[in-house]
Amino acid sequence: MNKPQSDKLSTQIDAGVKLAIAKAIERHRKLGESISIWQDGKVVTLTADEIPPPSINPEN
């Protein structure tokens, strides 16, 4: 695999991972489930009401 094709593939993989994460977080928010995140060096649990709306469209 040459370098430009490898860069393109890694960009597509990154986009897919970000979309999957956005979908999972949005699902938790809609179902009223909490999530745990890493923030300021510690684990913080957010209630569904504290989860911010998605910054990318997870419906795609």
Side-chain angles (χ1 to χ4, degrees):
M1 194 179 304
N2 60 29
K3 184 70 173 162
Q5 187 176 8
S6 176
D7 288 346
K8 182 180 177 184
L9 180 59
S10 66
T11 300
Q12 290 173 335
I13 291 169
D14 287 346
V17 169
K18 287 178 183 179
L19 182 59
I21 292 168
K23 285 182 177 184
I25 291 171
E26 182 62 6
R27 182 175 186 272
H28 277 73
R29 191 175 71 81
K30 285 182 176 179
L31 293 175
E33 299 172 343
S34 62
I35 61 169
S36 295
I37 61 171
W38 187 259
Q39 185 176 52
D40 299 326
K42 58 185 173 183
V43 176
V44 177
T45 300
L46 302 177
T47 65
D49 292 335
E50 295 172 321
I51 299 172
S55 60
I56 59 175
N57 185 359
E59 301 301 319
N60 291 340

XYZ file of all heavy atoms in Angstrom:
459
model
N 0.854 -1.166 0.000
C 0.000 0.000 0.000
C 0.898 1.226 0.000
O 1.804 1.341 0.804
C -0.895 -0.029 1.243
C -2.023 0.946 1.174
S -3.147 0.942 2.602
C -3.691 -0.736 2.717
N 0.646 2.174 -0.919
C 1.481 3.363 -0.951
C 0.980 4.409 0.039
O -0.115 4.325 0.574
C 1.581 3.937 -2.376
C 0.228 4.337 -2.937
O -0.670 4.696 -2.200
N 0.091 4.274 -4.254
N 1.804 5.392 0.310
C 1.532 6.379 1.364
C 0.233 7.161 1.143
O -0.575 7.244 2.062
C 2.737 7.317 1.494
C 2.627 8.309 2.608
C 2.740 7.658 3.957
C 2.790 8.723 5.028
N 2.492 8.241 6.336
N -0.035 7.739 -0.051
C -1.290 8.485 -0.215
C -2.533 7.607 0.013
O -3.496 8.048 0.625
C -1.239 8.990 -1.651
C 0.209 9.061 -1.971
C 0.826 7.902 -1.218
N -2.494 6.374 -0.459
C -3.641 5.487 -0.263
C -3.788 5.138 1.221
O -4.896 5.082 1.742
C -3.488 4.223 -1.089
C -4.719 3.341 -1.053
C -4.588 2.130 -1.957
O -3.526 1.858 -2.500
N -5.674 1.415 -2.137
N -2.682 4.959 1.912
C -2.703 4.666 3.337
C -3.282 5.844 4.120
O -4.065 5.666 5.047
C -1.289 4.352 3.830
O -1.287 4.151 5.212
N -2.894 7.075 3.745
C -3.430 8.267 4.403
C -4.933 8.372 4.188
O -5.679 8.708 5.107
C -2.747 9.530 3.892
C -1.313 9.668 4.385
O -0.935 8.938 5.325
O -0.580 10.500 3.823
N -5.386 8.075 2.967
C -6.807 8.146 2.663
C -7.574 7.105 3.486
O -8.641 7.401 4.044
C -7.047 7.905 1.173
C -8.498 8.005 0.764
C -8.691 7.770 -0.723
C -10.164 7.808 -1.076
N -10.396 7.494 -2.478
N -7.033 5.906 3.592
C -7.685 4.843 4.359
C -7.758 5.220 5.832
O -8.803 5.056 6.469
C -6.937 3.521 4.183
C -7.511 2.324 4.928
C -8.951 2.056 4.507
C -6.650 1.095 4.694
N -6.675 5.753 6.388
C -6.695 6.122 7.807
C -7.679 7.262 8.057
O -8.332 7.295 9.101
C -5.299 6.493 8.299
O -4.827 7.659 7.680
N -7.821 8.162 7.105
C -8.808 9.244 7.234
C -10.220 8.676 7.236
O -11.070 9.104 8.033
C -8.640 10.254 6.083
O -7.320 10.810 6.150
C -9.662 11.373 6.173
N -10.493 7.704 6.387
C -11.810 7.074 6.334
C -12.094 6.295 7.626
O -13.209 6.323 8.140
C -11.919 6.153 5.127
C -11.962 6.883 3.805
C -11.907 5.936 2.623
O -11.404 4.824 2.712
N -12.437 6.386 1.500
N -11.082 5.617 8.130
C -11.238 4.869 9.381
C -11.529 5.834 10.526
O -12.440 5.599 11.331
C -9.994 4.013 9.676
C -9.901 2.867 8.653
C -10.025 3.477 11.100
C -8.583 2.119 8.684
N -10.776 6.925 10.615
C -11.003 7.928 11.665
C -12.433 8.462 11.606
O -13.102 8.589 12.631
C -10.024 9.089 11.544
C -8.610 8.729 11.960
O -8.420 7.672 12.586
O -7.691 9.515 11.647
N -12.912 8.771 10.403
C -14.269 9.297 10.242
C -15.304 8.257 10.686
O -16.289 8.593 11.347
C -14.515 9.704 8.797
N -15.078 6.999 10.347
C -15.992 5.937 10.742
C -16.037 5.738 12.247
O -17.111 5.542 12.829
N -14.879 5.803 12.889
C -14.816 5.655 14.347
C -15.541 6.819 15.022
O -16.325 6.626 15.955
C -13.351 5.550 14.832
C -13.258 5.674 16.338
C -12.736 4.242 14.363
N -15.305 8.036 14.552
C -15.972 9.211 15.134
C -17.488 9.115 14.979
O -18.232 9.450 15.905
C -15.448 10.496 14.490
C -14.054 10.840 14.939
C -13.541 12.081 14.249
C -12.104 12.363 14.668
N -11.542 13.542 14.014
N -17.950 8.656 13.831
C -19.382 8.508 13.602
C -19.966 7.439 14.520
O -21.032 7.633 15.109
C -19.668 8.162 12.135
C -21.133 8.017 11.769
C -21.908 9.290 12.063
C -21.266 7.630 10.301
N -19.279 6.328 14.677
C -19.762 5.254 15.556
C -19.847 5.735 17.005
O -20.820 5.436 17.711
C -18.844 4.039 15.454
N -18.860 6.493 17.443
C -18.884 7.033 18.798
C -20.046 8.012 18.963
O -20.773 7.964 19.962
C -17.533 7.700 19.149
C -16.440 6.642 19.259
C -17.634 8.521 20.435
C -15.030 7.204 19.327
N -20.233 8.891 17.978
C -21.337 9.858 18.041
C -22.680 9.148 18.106
O -23.571 9.546 18.860
C -21.282 10.798 16.838
N -22.830 8.074 17.332
C -24.084 7.306 17.355
C -24.312 6.662 18.715
O -25.431 6.674 19.238
C -24.075 6.229 16.267
C -24.300 6.756 14.879
C -24.324 5.625 13.868
C -24.625 6.121 12.480
N -24.752 5.025 11.519
N -23.269 6.102 19.300
C -23.402 5.446 20.601
C -23.750 6.465 21.689
O -24.630 6.212 22.527
C -22.108 4.712 20.955
N -23.100 7.604 21.668
C -23.382 8.637 22.665
C -24.802 9.164 22.501
O -25.539 9.326 23.478
C -22.343 9.770 22.585
C -20.980 9.255 23.048
C -22.777 10.983 23.402
C -19.830 10.219 22.812
N -25.209 9.414 21.270
C -26.565 9.912 21.023
C -27.608 8.882 21.449
O -28.656 9.237 21.995
C -26.726 10.285 19.544
C -28.082 10.864 19.198
C -28.437 12.171 19.917
O -27.594 12.752 20.630
O -29.593 12.601 19.783
N -27.336 7.615 21.232
C -28.260 6.561 21.656
C -28.417 6.586 23.176
O -29.531 6.482 23.698
C -27.751 5.196 21.192
C -28.664 4.051 21.553
C -28.142 2.732 20.942
N -29.084 1.674 21.169
C -29.101 0.891 22.258
N -28.200 1.055 23.202
N -29.998 -0.062 22.389
N -27.316 6.724 23.885
C -27.374 6.811 25.347
C -28.202 8.026 25.775
O -29.029 7.938 26.680
C -25.962 6.909 25.946
C -25.286 5.602 26.106
N -24.795 4.883 25.046
C -25.021 4.878 27.212
C -24.251 3.765 25.502
N -24.376 3.733 26.813
N -27.970 9.159 25.122
C -28.688 10.387 25.473
C -30.187 10.208 25.260
O -30.994 10.531 26.127
C -28.160 11.557 24.638
C -28.648 12.925 25.106
C -27.982 14.048 24.314
N -28.464 14.112 22.953
C -29.607 14.692 22.583
N -30.379 15.249 23.475
N -29.960 14.708 21.324
N -30.568 9.649 24.109
C -31.985 9.454 23.780
C -32.665 8.445 24.704
O -33.845 8.583 25.007
C -32.146 9.014 22.328
C -31.934 10.127 21.337
C -32.157 9.636 19.926
C -32.044 10.772 18.935
N -32.242 10.295 17.550
N -31.931 7.432 25.125
C -32.514 6.399 25.986
C -32.448 6.756 27.469
O -32.911 6.003 28.322
C -31.810 5.057 25.752
C -32.032 4.421 24.391
C -31.181 3.159 24.237
C -33.504 4.099 24.174
N -31.861 7.913 27.778
C -31.771 8.337 29.164
C -30.708 7.612 29.964
O -30.793 7.524 31.186
N -29.707 7.105 29.285
C -28.633 6.355 29.943
C -27.417 7.252 30.153
O -27.099 8.088 29.323
C -28.233 5.154 29.095
C -29.363 4.170 28.869
C -29.001 3.085 27.872
O -28.017 3.248 27.122
O -29.721 2.082 27.843
N -26.721 7.057 31.251
C -25.514 7.830 31.531
C -24.326 7.276 30.741
O -24.366 6.153 30.248
C -25.206 7.801 33.023
O -24.955 6.482 33.440
N -23.290 8.093 30.642
C -22.028 7.662 30.040
C -20.904 8.104 30.969
O -21.055 9.041 31.747
C -21.791 8.234 28.625
C -21.737 9.767 28.653
C -22.829 7.738 27.649
C -21.255 10.391 27.349
N -19.786 7.424 30.896
C -18.607 7.820 31.658
C -17.535 8.264 30.682
O -17.317 7.631 29.644
C -18.102 6.649 32.509
O -19.072 6.330 33.484
N -16.901 9.395 31.016
C -15.865 9.963 30.167
C -14.620 10.239 31.001
O -14.679 10.255 32.226
C -16.341 11.268 29.475
C -16.686 12.332 30.519
C -17.525 10.989 28.556
C -16.950 13.706 29.946
N -13.499 10.457 30.327
C -12.259 10.837 30.983
C -12.155 12.354 30.886
O -12.188 12.917 29.796
C -11.087 10.175 30.272
C -9.781 10.368 30.960
C -8.804 11.261 30.613
C -9.301 9.663 32.097
N -7.744 11.143 31.469
C -8.022 10.173 32.401
C -9.814 8.658 32.901
C -7.259 9.705 33.450
C -9.058 8.195 33.949
C -7.785 8.717 34.210
N -12.092 13.032 32.047
C -12.056 14.487 32.041
C -11.126 14.975 33.145
O -11.283 14.592 34.308
C -13.468 15.027 32.259
C -13.606 16.519 32.148
C -15.058 16.946 32.293
O -15.720 16.562 33.254
N -15.549 17.703 31.340
N -10.177 15.801 32.776
C -9.233 16.379 33.741
C -8.537 15.315 34.594
O -8.407 15.445 35.812
C -9.935 17.397 34.643
C -10.519 18.571 33.863
O -9.902 18.962 32.847
O -11.582 19.070 34.262
N -8.164 14.216 33.966
C -7.399 13.185 34.647
C -8.207 12.231 35.510
O -7.628 11.483 36.292
N -9.535 12.274 35.386
C -10.342 11.338 36.164
C -11.603 10.944 35.389
O -11.990 11.597 34.421
C -10.710 11.924 37.523
C -11.469 13.216 37.451
C -11.685 13.778 38.850
C -12.310 15.165 38.742
N -12.473 15.792 40.037
N -12.224 9.879 35.832
C -13.453 9.400 35.207
C -14.629 10.192 35.773
O -14.758 10.345 36.986
C -13.665 7.889 35.461
C -14.985 7.418 34.888
C -12.509 7.088 34.862
N -15.462 10.714 34.865
C -16.637 11.488 35.243
C -17.845 10.838 34.579
O -17.803 10.516 33.389
C -16.508 12.955 34.768
C -17.764 13.755 35.083
C -15.282 13.612 35.377
N -18.908 10.645 35.334
C -20.136 10.075 34.779
C -21.122 11.200 34.508
O -21.402 12.018 35.388
C -20.749 9.042 35.742
O -19.783 8.002 35.946
C -22.009 8.440 35.164
N -21.609 11.247 33.265
C -22.603 12.235 32.859
C -23.966 11.571 32.777
O -24.095 10.492 32.193
C -22.261 12.816 31.482
C -20.917 13.501 31.303
C -20.747 13.942 29.856
C -20.771 14.681 32.245
N -24.979 12.219 33.334
C -26.343 11.728 33.154
C -26.764 12.047 31.726
O -26.118 12.852 31.036
C -27.314 12.414 34.129
O -27.377 13.808 33.814
C -26.888 12.220 35.578
N -27.850 11.457 31.283
C -28.333 11.710 29.925
C -28.594 13.194 29.698
O -28.319 13.722 28.618
C -29.585 10.897 29.652
N -29.091 13.876 30.714
C -29.365 15.314 30.590
C -28.095 16.146 30.467
O -28.125 17.258 29.944
C -30.169 15.806 31.795
C -31.578 15.244 31.825
O -32.107 14.890 30.753
O -32.145 15.156 32.930
N -26.988 15.627 30.952
C -25.714 16.352 30.887
C -24.949 16.087 29.589
O -23.982 16.790 29.298
C -24.828 15.958 32.073
C -25.390 16.371 33.420
C -24.604 15.808 34.582
O -24.162 14.642 34.505
O -24.434 16.537 35.575
N -25.368 15.085 28.813
C -24.681 14.770 27.558
C -25.039 15.849 26.543
O -26.212 16.074 26.265
C -25.093 13.388 27.027
C -24.727 12.292 28.031
C -24.442 13.121 25.665
C -25.274 10.915 27.684
N -24.026 16.544 25.993
C -24.324 17.590 25.018
C -24.854 16.999 23.712
O -24.580 15.842 23.384
C -22.977 18.275 24.798
C -21.961 17.281 25.210
C -22.597 16.396 26.242
N -25.630 17.793 22.968
C -26.097 17.313 21.665
C -24.911 17.032 20.756
O -23.826 17.589 20.950
C -26.960 18.450 21.131
C -26.705 19.612 22.006
C -26.052 19.143 23.255
N -25.096 16.163 19.770
C -23.977 15.787 18.898
C -23.435 16.953 18.088
O -24.202 17.818 17.658
C -24.572 14.707 17.993
C -26.040 14.939 18.031
C -26.347 15.541 19.365
N -22.118 16.963 17.900
C -21.485 17.993 17.072
C -21.425 17.561 15.611
O -21.213 18.377 14.725
C -20.088 18.312 17.589
O -19.273 17.163 17.567
N -21.587 16.236 15.373
C -21.706 15.736 14.008
C -23.015 14.956 13.936
O -23.527 14.501 14.947
C -20.515 14.833 13.587
C -20.382 13.623 14.496
C -19.237 15.628 13.554
C -19.315 12.650 14.045
N -23.543 14.833 12.749
C -24.834 14.173 12.575
C -24.682 12.653 12.675
O -24.183 12.034 11.758
C -25.440 14.558 11.232
C -26.834 14.007 11.044
O -27.371 13.317 11.906
N -27.436 14.308 9.913
N -25.126 12.041 13.787
C -24.974 10.599 13.939
C -26.010 9.786 13.161
O -25.988 8.583 13.185
C -25.141 10.391 15.450
C -26.011 11.504 15.885
C -25.662 12.664 14.979
N -26.898 10.459 12.458
C -27.943 9.769 11.701
C -27.460 9.233 10.369
O -28.145 8.485 9.710
C -29.146 10.699 11.489
C -29.767 11.193 12.785
C -30.273 10.062 13.691
O -30.872 9.101 13.158
O -30.044 10.153 14.902
N -26.276 9.663 9.928
C -25.750 9.204 8.627
C -25.294 7.784 8.681
O -24.828 7.260 9.576
C -24.608 10.099 8.160
C -25.104 11.472 7.777
O -26.273 11.676 7.502
N -24.199 12.426 7.779
